Amino acid sequence: MYAVDNATIAAWSALFSRIAALSGVPLDIIAHAAPAPLEDLWRRDDLGLAFMCGYPFASGPFSVRPVAAPVPASGDGMPFYATHLVVRARSDIATLQDSFGHRIGWTVAHSQSGFNAIRTHLLGDWRERGLLYRESIGPLLTPRRVVEALLAERIDIGPLDSYFYDLLLVAEPETAARLRIVATTTPRPMPLLVASQAVENEVVASLQQALLAIADDPAGREILAHLRLTGFQVVEAESYRILVREAQAADAAGYMQPG
């Protein structure tokens, strides 16, 4: 989900290896890159730690439970993120309203940051104006492909998970410099790390404790700094219900996709 580049992928592997060492729980790191469906990953019954977007966590038929959520260094000490609506840096689009009538991209319909957050943010304008964009282009699947579509001029505006943007600023500042943020949605609960319900309670508890303690571990702190995180926090499943309510409000209004 947050594999911005090879160095970041290596940092995630190092983090999970460190969690395994601190918890005493052996973890096999499974590569599951796009276009492999995330739903297939979330249906496994042997997940110790896997990233999951908050919307499918709260709304989907997946037999998982929350372990902890990451806390971005750019936030206010809470496991929250938002969606940046970005354009090409040289675009003549200065405001969100300037983008109306152009082409918007989106990732996948089960994504909070790449789909539902946009619908919620644009719902008032859509109710007032009707169709906002000339084309609604998707599924683009990942934030990386949103960036690629923007820079290739296949879309004119698109959603970028704010934490992905944090990582992009570090990993590829030259790419980030070719983008410009014109709007940011209301912060909402971060994608979280989940475990399969079939995994033993003691195992999940050990993994959770290791995540909560990782910021106090010297090696862990170094990895967190590379990943632009300050640590992890326990989250309640109920805190993600707002994502479902907002998506349902857009559905009820008939706003079925960004556009």
Side-chain angles (χ1 to χ4, degrees):
M1 184 176 289
Y2 290 118
V4 174
D5 67 348
N6 288 335
T8 306
I9 293 171
W12 283 117
S13 294
L15 177 70
F16 291 127
S17 294
R18 190 60 185 158
I19 294 298
L22 292 173
S23 66
V25 176
L27 295 172
D28 294 328
I29 298 173
I30 302 167
H32 195 86
L38 284 169
E39 296 93 328
D40 291 349
L41 178 68
W42 298 331
R43 290 190 181 101
R44 293 179 63 119
D45 62 5
D46 60 349
L47 296 176
L49 294 172
F51 262 116
M52 190 172 195
C53 184
Y55 175 72
F57 168 71
S59 65
F62 304 105
S63 185
V64 297
R65 53 178 143 170
V67 182
V71 180
S74 62
D76 59 358
M78 298 295 291
F80 281 75
Y81 77 142
T83 295
H84 296 314
L85 290 159
V86 297
V87 300
R88 291 179 291 279
R90 296 185 179 182
S91 169
D92 60 1
I93 296 172
T95 68
L96 181 61
Q97 287 69 31
D98 290 341
S99 74
F100 297 162
H102 291 73
R103 300 165 299 170
I104 191 170
W106 49 275
T107 58
V108 288
H110 62 61
S111 171
Q112 168 62 19
S113 63
F115 189 83
N116 283 319
I118 321 171
R119 293 197 301 159
T120 297
H121 194 77
L122 293 172
L123 185 55
D125 289 302
W126 182 82
R127 282 174 167 152
E128 179 180 342
R129 301 171 181 238
L131 188 67
L132 298 176
Y133 292 94
R134 183 173 79 247
E135 290 184 71
S136 180
I137 298 173
L140 297 174
L141 299 182
T142 67
R144 169 63 70 181
R145 292 188 181 180
V146 169
V147 171
E148 291 171 352
L150 273 168
L151 297 183
E153 301 189 13
R154 296 195 301 271
I155 62 174
D156 303 303
I157 187 169
L160 210 54
D161 174 312
S162 63
Y163 176 55
F164 183 94
Y165 182 75
D166 291 347
L167 294 173
L168 189 69
L169 284 170
V170 175
E172 296 180 22
E174 69 286 352
T175 300
R178 298 175 67 189
L179 306 172
R180 180 163 43 82
I181 299 168
V182 295
T184 300
T185 66
T186 302
R188 288 291 180 257
M190 249 326 251
L192 67 162
L193 289 169
V194 300
S196 302
Q197 290 285 3
V199 174
E200 295 87 347
N201 292 337
E202 295 79 6
V203 169
V204 175
S206 295
L207 291 170
Q208 184 181 74
Q209 287 305 310
L211 285 166
L212 300 182
I214 191 72
D216 296 322
D217 173 67
R221 277 199 304 273
E222 185 175 345
I223 301 168
L224 289 175
H226 185 93
L227 292 171
R228 300 293 297 141
L229 297 174
T230 60
F232 290 82
Q233 290 185 16
V234 174
V235 290
E236 298 295 332
E238 182 59 31
S239 67
Y240 288 86
R241 289 294 302 169
I242 187 173
L243 308 182
V244 177
R245 292 193 296 270
E246 289 178 339
Q248 289 173 339
D251 289 344
Y255 192 23
M256 302 309 294
Q257 69 177 43

